[in-house]
Amino acid sequence: MTRIIQLTDTHIVPPPKKVSEVLDTYSLFEQAIEKIKQDLPKLGQIDGIVVTGDISDHGDVASYEGFKQVIERLAIPYHVIPGNHDLRSSMHQCFGEMIDVNQSEEINWVAHFHDIDLVGLDTVIPGSGGGRLSPSTLQFLASSLDKSSDRPALIAMHHPPFESGIQFMDAIGLEGVNELHEILTNTQRDVRIICGHLHNSIVCSVGGKTVMSSPATASSFVTDHRQDAPVGFTQNTGGYMLHEWNNGFRSTYLSLAESGQLFPF
C-alpha cells in the first residue's frame, strides 16, 4: 500500500504580508500543518506529500523558504510542482535538490514508491494565469508511462484538464488536453490524475481516467456556474486529499476544520 497526501494552493507570502490584504496565508498554512499532524495517527503510514502548485503567491524566494520551514514540521518527504503564481527560477533555487532531475527549466519529474509512480507535470505558461501541457511535458509523460505497463501512476499537475463550470477559472484553463487524452487512452497503466488551481474539490474523467482537484489551504472558491458569477474567494475552511493505492486507487477528502463532537450510534 502507498499513501500520499496532496496539498495545494498555499499561496504563501512572508509575514506580516497578506494576500489581497486579507489572507494571512503563512498562518493558514501553519494551521493546516497542525491539523494534519492531528490527523496523521488516524491515517496510517504516509509515504509522501505532493504539493500541486501555487506554493507562493508571488514566486519570491522568501515565501518558498517560509513554506519549507512549515511543511518540514511533518517530517514526511515531499515533492512540489509549480502553479501559475510560482516562478520556476525561484523554485529551482529553493527546491533544486528535489526537482532538477531532468536538467530542464520545466519542472517535470517521477518519484518511485513501493508500488506506485508519482509523476509531476509542469503546466506553467510564464506570465500567464492559464496553463499548457507543452510538447516536451507531454513527451515526458508519454515516456514515463511507457517505462512500465503494470505499475499504477498518480499524475500530479496544477491546472485541471477539465472545465470546472467556474467561469473565471475556466478562462485560465489548460491547453493540451486533447494530446493528454490520447496519451491516457493509449496507456495500459492504472492512472489517476490530481490537480489544484480550483480551490475546490471536483471529480471528472479524461481519457477514461479519473481526474480530481483538491481544495486549497489558503481560501475557497464558490461553485457558481452562472455566466455573471462574481469573481473572488471566500475564507471558508479548505482541505487536503489523501490518495492511496491498495489494489486500486482510493482518494479521500479531509477538511482542515476542527472535527466536531463524535456521537456513538
Side-chain angles (χ1 to χ4, degrees), residues 2 31 36 40 87 92 111 142 174 184 218 231-232 238 240 251:
T2 298
Q31 294 167 24
I36 293 170
L40 286 178
L87 287 181
H92 277 285
L174 182 68
L184 296 176
V231 177
Y240 65 102
S251 296

Side-chain angles (χ1 to χ4, degrees), residues 12 25-35 70 73:
I12 301 294
T25 52
Y26 185 86
S27 294
L28 287 169
F29 189 47
E30 287 187 307
Q31 294 167 24
I33 294 302
E34 287 303 309
K35 177 58 166 58
V70 177
R73 298 174 190 174

Side-chain angles (χ1 to χ4, degrees), residues 183-248:
I183 292 171
L184 296 176
T185 300
N186 291 334
T187 186
Q188 297 179 9
R189 298 175 71 166
D190 198 339
V191 170
R192 177 154 296 181
I193 305 99
I194 59 175
C195 59
H197 193 55
L198 296 175
H199 296 227
N200 201 319
S201 181
I202 301 174
V203 181
C204 292
S205 62
V206 176
K209 314 299 183 184
T210 299
V211 53
M212 57 185 60
S213 62
S214 171
T217 66
S219 61
S220 298
F221 293 167
V222 175
T223 299
D224 188 336
H225 295 174
R226 295 174 297 176
Q227 291 293 327
D228 60 348
V231 177
F233 61 85
T234 76
Q235 292 181 283
N236 292 347
T237 304
Y240 65 102
M241 299 293 294
L242 175 66
H243 303 288
E244 302 172 89
W245 174 263
N246 186 12
N247 297 315

Side-chain angles (χ1 to χ4, degrees), residues 9 30 38 78 81 87 99 131 145 152 154-155 220 227 249:
D9 294 271
E30 287 187 307
Q38 295 173 25
Y78 64 94
I81 54 173
L87 287 181
I99 64 176
L145 293 178
L154 184 64
I155 301 172
S220 298
Q227 291 293 327
F249 281 110

Side-chain angles (χ1 to χ4, degrees), residues 3-5 40 43-49 76-77 242:
R3 294 188 181 97
I4 297 174
I5 284 175
L40 286 178
L43 303 181
Q45 176 65 38
I46 302 297
D47 299 286
I49 298 170
I76 299 172
L242 175 66

